Amino acid sequence: MNASGLHISRTGNAMIHLFFILLSIVIIAPFLLIVSVSLTDEKALVEFGYSFVPAKFSTIAYEFILQSPGALLRAYGNTIFITAIGSVLSLLLTSMVAYAISRRDYGLRVPLTVYVFFTMLFSGGLVPFYILMTQYLHLKDSLWAIILPSLLSPFYVLIMKGFMGKIPHELIESAKVDGASEWRIFFRMILPLSTPALATLGLFIAFNYWNEWFNALLFIDNDKLVPLQLLLVRIMNTLDFLRNNSAYIQGLGLDMSQLPNESMRMALVILVAGPMMFIFPFFQKYFVQGMTVGSLKG
């Protein structure tokens, strides 16, 4: 390569690096602002507004939230249970369905693939879904009401099918010749080869379960079964109510100025979203690999 080509190559690499540095700053900046606001005194927020450096450092928002940690810890336990059990079962069912429709020697491969794809186009509606969950499955006030609806996603099935379809069929045939059963082939050969796709989809599925609140809002009335996101929604609604009715609340003799409204919102965001942010780096290697080789395939 001549000097001119080398200079162009270096310039191109520098531009790419600059673009991703700016993109990283744009992504990280809102999170840093949330952290800063959560550690800022409420009166300073009202006076100076939001800033990346707290105008007056204060942990009063976290102290308010952790005064009664029982509900928060219980919500964490419910969400961890939902995320762990739901992710494992969802990955198992997704990989089993995807493996079946990725096998070229499976007679119902095409109609089953069409059936899976067809479910992406229509849904039964909210009312039939609610009746099914409460009247027929009797899952009212049960954590399974949050786990079951998201167990099988047709989109994830098609992604996994595209990945498994790239596994050479000769490996399966040779395993059959050696006397391996279908279950043994699936668990001892197919799943280990599908680790990148499993890690990628597992991360997506775990995020979905961790952030699930709508099904909890529909089916969970028992305070002991409230997941983390629903608890966050309830606290936010309570803060909105107190802010919108501050005159009436103060008329009852309660001092609303002591309530860290905005900073407590941001502190809740940190407490709710923080754990998943620490988990993501451990899956980054598999996530990148899965995104590059797990593309859809007909």
Side-chain angles (χ1 to χ4, degrees):
M1 181 181 294
N2 55 33
S4 176
L6 183 60
H7 176 72
I8 294 175
S9 176
R10 289 179 177 177
T11 303
N13 289 335
M15 294 297 294
I16 293 175
H17 290 159
L18 178 61
F19 170 77
F20 281 106
I21 289 173
L22 294 176
L23 181 62
S24 299
I25 293 174
V26 170
I27 294 173
I28 296 174
F31 176 73
L32 295 179
L33 183 61
I34 291 174
V35 175
S36 175
V37 173
S38 71
L39 295 172
T40 303
D41 182 74
E42 187 71 16
K43 293 181 179 179
L45 281 177
V46 175
E47 184 176 354
F48 302 106
Y50 291 0
S51 64
F52 286 98
V53 178
K56 182 179 179 182
F57 183 84
S58 174
T59 60
I60 188 66
Y62 292 95
E63 294 174 10
F64 259 88
I65 296 172
L66 298 177
Q67 278 182 352
S68 300
L72 183 64
L73 293 177
R74 189 163 52 242
Y76 260 111
N78 292 332
T79 299
I80 291 172
F81 175 82
I82 292 168
T83 303
I85 300 300
S87 298
V88 171
L89 293 179
S90 180
L91 280 177
L92 179 61
L93 290 177
T94 299
S95 58
M96 291 174 70
V97 175
Y99 174 61
I101 62 179
S102 68
R103 287 279 296 268
R104 290 183 300 227
D105 55 345
Y106 179 50
L108 299 178
R109 175 192 179 197
V110 174
L112 187 57
T113 302
V114 173
Y115 174 77
V116 171
F117 175 75
F118 185 79
T119 59
M120 298 175 62
L121 306 178
F122 302 95
S123 68
L126 181 59
V127 174
F129 170 61
Y130 184 84
I131 293 174
L132 172 66
M133 297 294 290
T134 58
Q135 302 300 319
Y136 291 93
L137 299 180
H138 304 288
L139 292 177
K140 184 72 173 178
D141 277 331
S142 171
L143 293 181
W144 290 103
I146 307 175
I147 296 175
L148 288 182
S150 303
L151 272 183
L152 200 60
S153 168
F155 180 68
Y156 293 157
V157 169
L158 294 178
I159 291 179
M160 184 64 73
K161 170 186 175 294
F163 185 91
M164 290 183 172
K166 296 179 180 179
I167 297 176
H169 189 67
E170 291 75 13
L171 292 176
I172 300 173
E173 293 296 333
S174 63
K176 283 185 176 181
V177 171
D178 291 336
S181 63
E182 291 289 353
W183 290 107
R184 187 177 182 87
I185 293 173
F186 176 72
F187 284 106
R188 300 296 297 274
M189 179 184 295
I190 301 300
L191 288 186
L193 291 174
S194 304
T195 299
L198 290 173
T200 302
L201 294 185
L203 189 63
F204 286 141
I205 293 169
F207 272 123
N208 289 337
Y209 275 117
W210 186 270
N211 294 320
E212 176 59 53
W213 66 272
F214 184 71
N215 288 333
L217 182 66
L218 290 177
F219 304 117
I220 302 298
D221 293 328
N222 188 344
D223 291 338
K224 294 183 179 180
L225 299 177
V226 171
L228 198 57
Q229 298 296 340
L230 181 58
L231 179 65
L232 174 63
V233 170
R234 290 183 175 181
I235 294 175
M236 292 295 190
N237 291 337
T238 301
L239 292 175
D240 286 336
F241 173 81
L242 294 175
R243 182 178 61 180
N244 295 331
N245 298 274
S246 58
Y248 175 76
I249 299 296
Q250 289 175 356
L252 297 177
L254 299 176
D255 186 7
M256 288 296 298
S257 63
Q258 300 299 318
L259 182 66
N261 195 328
E262 293 299 322
S263 58
M264 189 156 65
R265 291 172 182 270
M266 301 307 174
L268 284 169
V269 172
I270 298 298
L271 292 175
V272 170
M276 296 304 290
M277 295 181 183
F278 288 106
I279 290 176
F280 178 79
F282 295 100
F283 290 86
Q284 184 176 5
K285 177 181 68 174
Y286 297 109
F287 178 78
V288 173
Q289 186 178 358
M291 290 296 290
T292 56
V293 300
S295 56
L296 290 176
K297 179 181 177 182

Coordinates of all heavy atoms in Angstrom, one line a residue, residues 129-173:
F129 N -57.3 -12.3 26.1 CA -56.1 -12.7 26.8 C -56.3 -12.6 28.4 O -55.9 -13.5 29.1 CB -54.9 -11.7 26.5 CG -53.7 -11.8 27.3 CD1 -53.0 -13.0 27.4 CD2 -53.3 -10.7 28.0 CE1 -51.8 -13.1 28.1 CE2 -52.1 -10.8 28.8 CZ -51.4 -12.0 28.9
Y130 N -57.0 -11.6 28.8 CA -57.3 -11.4 30.3 C -58.2 -12.6 30.7 O -58.0 -13.2 31.8 CB -57.9 -10.1 30.5 CG -58.2 -9.8 32.0 CD1 -57.1 -9.4 32.8 CD2 -59.4 -10.1 32.6 CE1 -57.4 -9.1 34.2 CE2 -59.6 -9.9 33.9 CZ -58.6 -9.4 34.7 OH -58.8 -9.2 36.1
I131 N -59.2 -12.9 29.9 CA -60.2 -13.9 30.3 C -59.5 -15.3 30.3 O -59.7 -16.1 31.2 CB -61.4 -14.0 29.3 CG1 -62.2 -12.7 29.4 CG2 -62.2 -15.2 29.5 CD1 -63.3 -12.6 28.4
L132 N -58.6 -15.5 29.4 CA -57.8 -16.8 29.3 C -57.0 -16.9 30.6 O -57.0 -18.0 31.2 CB -57.0 -16.8 28.1 CG -56.0 -18.0 28.0 CD1 -56.7 -19.3 27.9 CD2 -55.0 -17.8 26.8
M133 N -56.3 -15.9 31.0 CA -55.4 -16.0 32.1 C -56.1 -16.1 33.4 O -55.6 -16.8 34.3 CB -54.4 -14.7 32.1 CG -53.5 -14.6 30.9 SD -52.3 -15.9 30.8 CE -51.3 -15.5 32.1
T134 N -57.2 -15.4 33.6 CA -57.9 -15.4 34.9 C -59.0 -16.4 35.0 O -59.1 -17.0 36.1 CB -58.5 -14.0 35.1 OG1 -59.4 -13.7 34.0 CG2 -57.4 -12.9 35.2
Q135 N -59.8 -16.7 34.0 CA -60.9 -17.5 34.1 C -60.6 -19.0 33.7 O -61.2 -19.9 34.3 CB -62.1 -17.1 33.2 CG -62.5 -15.6 33.4 CD -63.1 -15.5 34.9 OE1 -63.8 -16.3 35.4 NE2 -62.7 -14.4 35.5
Y136 N -59.7 -19.2 32.8 CA -59.4 -20.6 32.4 C -58.1 -21.1 33.0 O -58.0 -22.3 33.4 CB -59.3 -20.6 30.9 CG -60.6 -20.5 30.2 CD1 -61.0 -19.2 29.8 CD2 -61.4 -21.5 29.9 CE1 -62.2 -19.0 29.2 CE2 -62.7 -21.4 29.3 CZ -63.1 -20.1 28.9 OH -64.3 -19.9 28.3
L137 N -57.0 -20.3 33.0 CA -55.8 -20.7 33.6 C -55.7 -20.4 35.1 O -54.8 -20.9 35.8 CB -54.6 -20.1 32.9 CG -54.5 -20.4 31.4 CD1 -53.3 -19.7 30.8 CD2 -54.4 -21.9 31.2
H138 N -56.6 -19.5 35.6 CA -56.6 -19.2 37.1 C -55.3 -18.7 37.6 O -54.8 -19.2 38.6 CB -57.1 -20.4 37.9 CG -58.5 -20.9 37.4 ND1 -59.6 -20.2 37.6 CD2 -58.8 -22.1 36.7 CE1 -60.6 -20.9 37.1 NE2 -60.1 -22.0 36.6
L139 N -54.7 -17.8 36.9 CA -53.4 -17.3 37.2 C -53.4 -15.9 37.8 O -52.4 -15.2 37.9 CB -52.4 -17.3 36.0 CG -52.1 -18.7 35.5 CD1 -51.2 -18.5 34.2 CD2 -51.3 -19.5 36.5
K140 N -54.6 -15.5 38.3 CA -54.7 -14.2 39.0 C -53.8 -14.2 40.2 O -53.9 -15.2 41.0 CB -56.1 -13.9 39.3 CG -56.4 -12.5 39.9 CD -56.2 -11.4 38.9 CE -56.7 -10.1 39.6 NZ -56.5 -9.0 38.6
D141 N -53.1 -13.2 40.5 CA -52.2 -13.1 41.6 C -51.2 -14.2 41.7 O -51.0 -14.9 42.7 CB -53.0 -13.0 42.9 CG -53.5 -11.6 43.3 OD1 -52.8 -10.6 42.8 OD2 -54.5 -11.5 43.9
S142 N -50.6 -14.5 40.6 CA -49.5 -15.5 40.5 C -48.4 -15.0 39.6 O -48.7 -14.3 38.6 CB -50.1 -16.8 39.8 OG -49.1 -17.7 39.5
L143 N -47.2 -15.3 40.0 CA -46.0 -14.8 39.2 C -46.0 -15.5 37.8 O -45.4 -15.0 36.9 CB -44.7 -15.1 39.9 CG -44.5 -14.3 41.2 CD1 -43.2 -14.6 41.9 CD2 -44.6 -12.8 41.0
W144 N -46.7 -16.6 37.7 CA -46.7 -17.3 36.4 C -47.5 -16.5 35.4 O -47.4 -16.7 34.2 CB -47.3 -18.7 36.6 CG -46.3 -19.6 37.3 CD1 -46.4 -20.0 38.6 CD2 -45.1 -20.2 36.7 NE1 -45.3 -20.8 38.9 CE2 -44.5 -21.0 37.8 CE3 -44.5 -20.2 35.5 CZ2 -43.4 -21.7 37.6 CZ3 -43.4 -20.9 35.3 CH2 -42.8 -21.7 36.3
A145 N -48.4 -15.6 35.9 CA -49.1 -14.8 34.9 C -48.2 -13.8 34.2 O -48.5 -13.3 33.2 CB -50.2 -14.0 35.7
I146 N -47.0 -13.5 34.8 CA -46.0 -12.7 34.2 C -45.1 -13.5 33.3 O -44.6 -13.1 32.3 CB -45.3 -11.9 35.2 CG1 -46.2 -11.1 36.2 CG2 -44.3 -10.9 34.6 CD1 -45.6 -10.4 37.3
I147 N -44.8 -14.7 33.8 CA -43.8 -15.6 33.1 C -44.4 -16.2 31.8 O -43.8 -16.1 30.7 CB -43.3 -16.7 34.0 CG1 -42.6 -16.1 35.2 CG2 -42.4 -17.7 33.2 CD1 -42.1 -17.1 36.2
L148 N -45.6 -16.8 31.9 CA -46.1 -17.6 30.7 C -46.4 -16.8 29.5 O -46.0 -17.3 28.4 CB -47.4 -18.2 31.2 CG -47.3 -19.4 32.1 CD1 -48.7 -20.0 32.4 CD2 -46.4 -20.5 31.6
P149 N -46.9 -15.5 29.5 CA -47.2 -14.9 28.2 C -46.0 -14.6 27.4 O -46.1 -14.5 26.1 CB -47.9 -13.5 28.7 CG -48.4 -13.8 30.0 CD -47.5 -14.8 30.6
S150 N -44.8 -14.5 28.0 CA -43.6 -14.2 27.2 C -42.7 -15.4 27.0 O -41.5 -15.2 26.6 CB -42.8 -13.1 27.9 OG -43.6 -11.9 28.1
L151 N -43.2 -16.6 27.3 CA -42.3 -17.8 27.2 C -41.8 -18.0 25.7 O -40.7 -18.5 25.5 CB -43.0 -19.0 27.7 CG -42.9 -19.3 29.2 CD1 -43.6 -20.6 29.5 CD2 -41.5 -19.3 29.6
L152 N -42.7 -17.8 24.8 CA -42.3 -18.1 23.4 C -42.6 -16.9 22.5 O -43.8 -16.5 22.3 CB -43.1 -19.4 22.9 CG -42.6 -20.1 21.7 CD1 -41.2 -20.6 22.0 CD2 -43.5 -21.3 21.4
S153 N -41.6 -16.4 21.9 CA -41.7 -15.3 21.0 C -41.4 -15.8 19.5 O -40.3 -16.3 19.3 CB -40.7 -14.1 21.3 OG -40.7 -13.2 20.3
P154 N -42.3 -15.6 18.6 CA -42.1 -16.1 17.2 C -40.9 -15.4 16.6 O -40.1 -16.0 15.8 CB -43.4 -15.7 16.5 CG -44.1 -14.7 17.3 CD -43.7 -15.0 18.7
F155 N -40.6 -14.2 16.9 CA -39.4 -13.5 16.4 C -38.2 -14.1 16.8 O -37.2 -14.4 16.0 CB -39.5 -12.0 16.8 CG -38.3 -11.2 16.3 CD1 -38.2 -11.0 14.9 CD2 -37.4 -10.7 17.1 CE1 -37.1 -10.2 14.4 CE2 -36.3 -10.0 16.6 CZ -36.2 -9.7 15.3
Y156 N -38.1 -14.5 18.1 CA -36.9 -15.1 18.6 C -36.8 -16.5 18.1 O -35.6 -17.0 17.8 CB -37.0 -15.2 20.2 CG -36.9 -13.8 20.9 CD1 -37.3 -13.6 22.1 CD2 -36.3 -12.7 20.2 CE1 -37.3 -12.4 22.8 CE2 -36.2 -11.5 20.8 CZ -36.7 -11.3 22.1 OH -36.6 -10.1 22.7
V157 N -37.9 -17.2 17.8 CA -37.8 -18.5 17.3 C -37.2 -18.5 15.9 O -36.4 -19.3 15.5 CB -39.3 -19.1 17.2 CG1 -39.3 -20.4 16.3 CG2 -39.8 -19.5 18.6
L158 N -37.6 -17.5 15.1 CA -37.1 -17.4 13.7 C -35.6 -17.0 13.7 O -34.9 -17.4 12.9 CB -37.9 -16.3 12.9 CG -39.4 -16.7 12.7 CD1 -40.1 -15.6 11.9 CD2 -39.4 -18.0 11.9
I159 N -35.2 -16.2 14.7 CA -33.8 -15.9 14.8 C -33.0 -17.1 15.1 O -31.9 -17.4 14.5 CB -33.5 -14.8 15.8 CG1 -34.1 -13.4 15.4 CG2 -32.0 -14.6 16.2 CD1 -33.9 -12.3 16.4
M160 N -33.5 -17.9 16.1 CA -32.8 -19.1 16.5 C -32.8 -20.1 15.4 O -31.8 -20.9 15.1 CB -33.4 -19.7 17.7 CG -32.8 -20.9 18.3 SD -31.1 -20.6 18.9 CE -31.4 -19.7 20.4
K161 N -33.9 -20.2 14.6 CA -34.0 -21.1 13.5 C -32.9 -20.7 12.4 O -32.2 -21.6 11.9 CB -35.3 -21.0 12.8 CG -35.5 -21.7 11.5 CD -36.8 -21.4 10.8 CE -36.9 -22.0 9.4 NZ -36.0 -21.4 8.5
G162 N -32.7 -19.4 12.2 CA -31.7 -19.0 11.2 C -30.3 -19.4 11.7 O -29.5 -19.8 10.9
F163 N -30.0 -19.4 13.0 CA -28.7 -19.8 13.5 C -28.6 -21.3 13.4 O -27.5 -21.8 12.9 CB -28.6 -19.3 15.0 CG -27.2 -19.6 15.5 CD1 -26.2 -18.7 15.5 CD2 -27.0 -20.8 16.2 CE1 -25.0 -18.9 16.0 CE2 -25.7 -21.1 16.7 CZ -24.7 -20.2 16.6
M164 N -29.6 -22.1 13.9 CA -29.4 -23.5 13.9 C -29.4 -24.1 12.5 O -28.9 -25.2 12.2 CB -30.6 -24.1 14.7 CG -30.5 -23.9 16.2 SD -31.8 -24.7 17.1 CE -31.2 -24.4 18.8
G165 N -30.1 -23.4 11.5 CA -30.1 -23.8 10.1 C -28.7 -23.8 9.5 O -28.5 -24.5 8.5
K166 N -27.7 -23.1 10.1 CA -26.4 -23.0 9.6 C -25.5 -24.2 10.2 O -24.3 -24.3 9.8 CB -25.7 -21.7 9.9 CG -26.4 -20.5 9.2 CD -25.8 -19.2 9.6 CE -26.5 -18.1 8.9 NZ -25.9 -16.7 9.2
I167 N -26.0 -24.9 11.2 CA -25.2 -26.0 11.7 C -25.3 -27.2 10.7 O -26.4 -27.6 10.2 CB -25.8 -26.5 13.0 CG1 -25.7 -25.4 14.1 CG2 -25.1 -27.8 13.5 CD1 -26.4 -25.7 15.4
P168 N -24.1 -27.7 10.2 CA -24.1 -28.7 9.2 C -25.0 -29.9 9.6 O -24.9 -30.5 10.7 CB -22.7 -29.1 9.1 CG -21.9 -27.9 9.6 CD -22.8 -27.3 10.7
H169 N -25.9 -30.3 8.6 CA -26.7 -31.5 8.9 C -26.0 -32.8 9.0 O -26.4 -33.7 9.6 CB -27.8 -31.6 7.7 CG -28.9 -32.6 8.0 ND1 -29.8 -32.4 9.0 CD2 -29.1 -33.8 7.4 CE1 -30.6 -33.5 9.0 NE2 -30.2 -34.3 8.0
E170 N -24.8 -32.8 8.4 CA -23.9 -34.0 8.5 C -23.6 -34.4 9.9 O -23.4 -35.5 10.2 CB -22.7 -33.8 7.6 CG -22.9 -33.8 6.1 CD -23.5 -32.4 5.7 OE1 -23.5 -31.5 6.5 OE2 -24.0 -32.4 4.5
L171 N -23.4 -33.3 10.8 CA -23.1 -33.6 12.2 C -24.2 -34.4 12.8 O -24.0 -35.3 13.6 CB -22.9 -32.3 12.9 CG -21.7 -31.5 12.6 CD1 -21.6 -30.2 13.4 CD2 -20.4 -32.3 12.9
I172 N -25.5 -34.0 12.5 CA -26.6 -34.7 13.1 C -26.7 -36.2 12.5 O -27.0 -37.1 13.3 CB -27.9 -34.0 12.8 CG1 -27.9 -32.6 13.4 CG2 -29.2 -34.7 13.3 CD1 -29.0 -31.7 13.0
E173 N -26.5 -36.3 11.3 CA -26.5 -37.6 10.7 C -25.4 -38.5 11.2 O -25.7 -39.7 11.5 CB -26.3 -37.5 9.1 CG -27.5 -36.8 8.4 CD -28.7 -37.6 8.5 OE1 -28.7 -38.9 8.7 OE2 -29.8 -37.0 8.5

